[in-house]
Amino acid sequence: MITPHQPTLSVLRHRDELKVHTGRLFIDGQWLEGHGMPWTHSHPATNEQVGVLTTATKAQVDAAVRAARRAFDGHWPHWKARDRKRLLQRIAQLVEANGAELDQMQTLDNGMPISFSSTYQAGHQIAADIFDYHAGWVDRIAGQTLPTFTGGDAVVMTLREPVGVVAAIIPWNAPLMLSAQKVAPALAAGCTVVLKPSEYASFTVIRFAEILAEAGVPPGVFNLVLGPGDGTGEALVEHPAVDKISFTGSRGTGRYVMRAAADGIKRVSLELGGKSPNIVFPDVDLDATSGAVMGMVSMGLSGQGCACHTRALVHESIYDEMVDKCALMAQLCVLGDPFDPATTSGPLINPQQLERVTGFIHSGQSQGARLVIGGDRPGGELAIGNFVNPTLFADVDNSMTIAREEIFGPVLAMIPFTDEDDAVRIANDTSYGLGASVQTSDVKRALRVARRVRAGTFGVNGYTVVPNAPFGGYKTSGLGREGGQEGIDAFLETKTVIISTGDSRH
Ligand code: NAD
């Protein structure tokens, strides 16, 4: 077994940056103290308390939904497209202008290394672009005129109208980008929103709410409630005046949300987890590919991304070489103080997740997978945080728990395959279907595999999420899409209007 990189960075060096922040609710254009149980936030790298949230009671969630209802039943859906478009553009500009601070807030919230939080994909720039992109939709939301089916004097047309009050619930791993993915299309469509961030990453979203207020979002159109899922979240999801729930989070919570939506026949969109395959054919540059394959799981959020490709399916002819190269890549990861630009890999979000990931590592060992590197925790100063060393399992069978469950930690399961059919069979042998990738220089093979693998996003030699393309899951990875036209459609209803132009009445 190769010994992992020994971290030497002090996570405590930036203690001053972990200053205490206080979170408040934003309801009907007012900042309010929450009257629920306060929530103390501990930083994942140190488990030091870094902030206190005042959480919303059921009555305060009710007040937020009622404010959103009033704004929806009032002026907001009838705003001029020009004004709504400018408002979204202003939000984009303010997110950009406050970008460095927002990126740091994410690092403060969830321990995402600043080296990752300041990338396009994870940081403020994609959030700004999401608002900019949806600003472009505002004056393009349009219905159709249809031919009269049976003849006669009539005009048949469809109107596209906002779905109503949206309950938007997001997880902790990308609070800024995920807030934007819900709020931007909802506002563009003319909906009003009550947003609940994760109790493990609320500070970025509080700052984001301040930006929306500064941009001039009218009272009640955007509301923020804070608190845990089983109090604040349930009160929001179950509220009868909510028309649509847009949820991003784990599959388990997604099931609950869908059942709760059924009671009120609420519209529901779900962005859930994944167990994405990365299929590696022999015709690639193994150095670059091993960096991408292992790096996706071990760097940045340390595998805590929904679309992290945590199953590497590697052709048998290059399998041993890929194992060695991925192990070397794991050694290059620098765990440490997330505020240090040299740190590549962050901690797990909380001690419960640390225990869960450690349990999966033990299951891999007990079920016979070969632990090549990692599997343990760094010592020294990092021992106080929720760090796990980048972990590579080889000789994994796709039936093992580590190949089936979403681990949400820096654990890569490497599985050999014999040929293209075998690779596709293993890739599809999962209940998830969020992302998938193929690594090859053969474009015909890439397209064949892309068509056969059942996943919402497919990468050929890697991919990045972009605002103008739909993102979402096949199978149990979700329902609906965010981004692109489908992302805006998710916040719209269709009304058919039939206008009789003849003399007869029906
Ligand atoms: P989670 O399901 O525990 O929590 C997500 C959100 O739901 C949080 O705000 C939480 O407070 C809230 N919540 C929890 N229980 C609730 C309840 N009973 N009623 C209402 N709200 C409730 O997920 P998490 O641990 O925060 O996030 C990790 C998960 O999110 C992973 O499974 C990951 O794959 C998924 N995720 C998916 C995407 C995507 O786009 N598909 C993106 C990011 C994360």
Side-chain angles (χ1 to χ4, degrees), residues 197-209:
S198 167
E199 58 276 32
Y200 291 100
S202 294
F203 296 112
T204 311
V205 184
I206 294 165
R207 184 71 192 98
F208 169 72

Side-chain angles (χ1 to χ4, degrees), residues 227-287:
D230 55 6
T232 316
E234 286 180 10
L236 183 56
V237 164
E238 290 170 10
H239 199 292
V242 164
D243 297 297
K244 156 133 196 163
I245 306 166
S246 179
F247 173 81
T248 300
S250 64
R251 189 164 63 174
T253 312
R255 282 199 182 97
Y256 158 76
V257 166
M258 202 166 171
R259 284 194 199 103
D263 281 343
I265 319 285
K266 291 171 186 152
R267 281 80 185 120
V268 62
S269 302
L270 303 173
E271 293 283 340
L272 309 177
K275 193 73 198 175
S276 303
N278 208 342
I279 305 171
V280 186
F281 285 98
D283 59 345
V284 292
D285 174 335
L286 289 191
D287 286 323

